[in-house]
Amino acid sequence: MHLASGITWAAAVVGLAFGRPTAAAAYYDAETGFTFSEYKAACSLSATITYRVAIPNDAYYGQSFDAVLQVVAPNSVGWAGLAWGGGMVSNPLTVGWANGNTATVTSRWANSRSTPSLYTGNSLQKLSTGNRANGTHFQFTVLCSGCTQWTGSSGFQTNLNPQGSNKFAFACSGSRPSQPASNTSSFPYHDAHSYWSHDFSAGANADFANLVMRNGGRPSVL
Ligand code: HEM
Ligand SMILES: *[C@@H]1O[C@H](CO)[C@@H](O)[C@H](O)[C@H]1NC(C)=O
Ligand SMILES: *[C@@H]1O[C@H](CO)[C@@H](O)[C@H](O)[C@H]1NC(C)=O
C-alpha cells in the first residue's frame, strides 16, 4: 500500500517534471473532500457540462477499481451521460438528470446506437453529498463499482488505466426524461455528443475508501 502510493506519487512528479499535457485538470471539491480529474464538455453554445472522476491512488491497471463520478450541468441540460469506454456501444453508460431538488442517476448499456437498456453489470451509489438541483444547476455524485472494467458482448474485457488517459465520450440533450424521479425512466435522443481523453492520474486520492465512507458510500475495497 505504501509502496503503491509512492510509485503513484513518483509517476505524478515525473509527469509534471516533463510537462506532460493532461486532458483533465485536477479539481479539489471541498464539499466531498475528493480530488477529481475534471473535463468541461460543451452540450450547446451556452451549456457546459463538467465531468469529474476520483479514484483510489493505489489502483492498478488490470484490476476493477471503484470510481466516484461527479457531474455538474446547467438546468438547460435535460440529461447528461458519460460513456466510460468512449463510445455509445458496448460500454457502461452513466446518465443523470435533475429531479426536484436532487438528481436521478441511472446505469445503462447499448448494444446498438438506439435507446440504451437498463444495465445491472455495475453498481451506482449516490453519495450523501454532492447531489442537488437548484435554480441554475443540477449535480450528481455517485460511487461506481464496475465502471473501470467490463466485458463486452464479444467477451473482450476492457480495463481503464488509473495512471493515465482513458478515452471518454459524453452525450446530452436539452429535453427532459419522461419520469424524472425514476432511474428506469426513458429519455430522449441526444442533441450533442463528443469525445476526449480523460487523465485519471489527476484524480488519484489517498485513503479513497475512507473518503467514500465519510460521504455515505460503501466502497467495494476497504
Ligand atoms: C436516449 C437514447 C439514445 C438514442 C436513441 C441514441 C441514438 C444514437 C444514434 C442514432 C447515434 C448515431 C448518430 C450519428 O452517427 O450521427 C448515436 C451516437 C452516439 N451516441 Fe447515442 N443514443 C442514445 C443515448 C446515448 C447515451 C445515453 C449516450 C452516452 C452516455 C450516447 C452516446 C453516443 C455517442 C458517443 C455517439 C457517437 C457514436 C459512438 O461513439 O458510438 N447515446 N446515438
Ligand atoms: C435503480 O436504483 C436501484 C436502487 O438503488 C438499483 O438497484 C438499480 O440497479 C437502479 N437501476 C438502474 C437502471 O440504474
Ligand atoms: C446550485 O448548484 C450548483 C451546482 O452544484 C452550485 O455550484 C451552485 O452554487 C448552487 N447555487 C446555489 C444558489 O446554491
Side-chain angles (χ1 to χ4, degrees):
M1 171 97 177
H2 285 114
L3 182 62
S5 331
I7 289 169
T8 305
W9 173 236
V13 170
V14 169
L16 286 173
F18 287 90
R20 182 167 44 114
T22 54
Y27 172 84
Y28 174 71
D29 178 35
E31 183 186 2
T32 59
F34 286 104
T35 297
F36 291 95
S37 49
E38 171 182 277
Y39 179 79
K40 292 177 190 292
C43 179
S44 70
L45 288 177
S46 57
T48 299
I49 304 174
T50 303
Y51 289 91
R52 298 180 178 137
V53 177
I55 61 165
N57 72 342
D58 55 357
Y60 55 89
Y61 182 78
Q63 167 207 46
S64 178
F65 54 92
D66 283 356
V68 172
L69 172 67
Q70 182 172 80
V71 176
V72 185
N75 280 340
S76 59
V77 173
W79 63 263
L82 175 69
W84 290 83
M88 177 159 174
V89 173
S90 293
N91 64 159
L93 306 174
T94 303
V95 181
W97 53 77
N99 172 44
N101 63 6
T102 185
T104 297
V105 188
T106 179
S107 180
R108 307 286 169 122
W109 180 283
N111 286 315
S112 64
R113 291 188 181 104
S114 57
T115 304
S117 307
L118 306 180
Y119 179 56
T120 53
N122 58 19
S123 105
L124 298 179
Q125 289 175 47
K126 268 174 79 178
L127 298 182
S128 55
T129 50
N131 289 283
R132 76 177 66 88
N134 59 31
T136 61
H137 291 80
F138 69 93
Q139 170 175 338
F140 62 86
T141 306
V142 289
L143 174 69
C144 182
S145 305
C147 285
T148 62
Q149 181 188 71
W150 63 89
T151 302
S153 45
S154 63
F156 182 78
Q157 188 187 78
T158 300
N159 286 281
L160 299 189
N161 180 2
Q163 265 101 36
S165 287
N166 297 290
K167 195 188 170 207
F168 267 14
F170 86 101
C172 65
S173 172
S175 304
R176 296 180 192 280
S178 53
Q179 297 165 282
S182 169
N183 71 355
T184 62
S185 177
S186 63
F187 48 85
Y189 180 41
H190 32 82
D191 301 325
H193 71 262
S194 183
Y195 311 95
W196 73 99
S197 181
H198 198 100
D199 182 359
F200 277 28
S201 66
N205 287 258
D207 221 12
F208 180 86
N210 277 323
L211 267 174
V212 167
M213 288 186 288
R214 263 174 35 202
N215 288 283
R218 292 180 313 280
S220 59
V221 179
L222 283 173

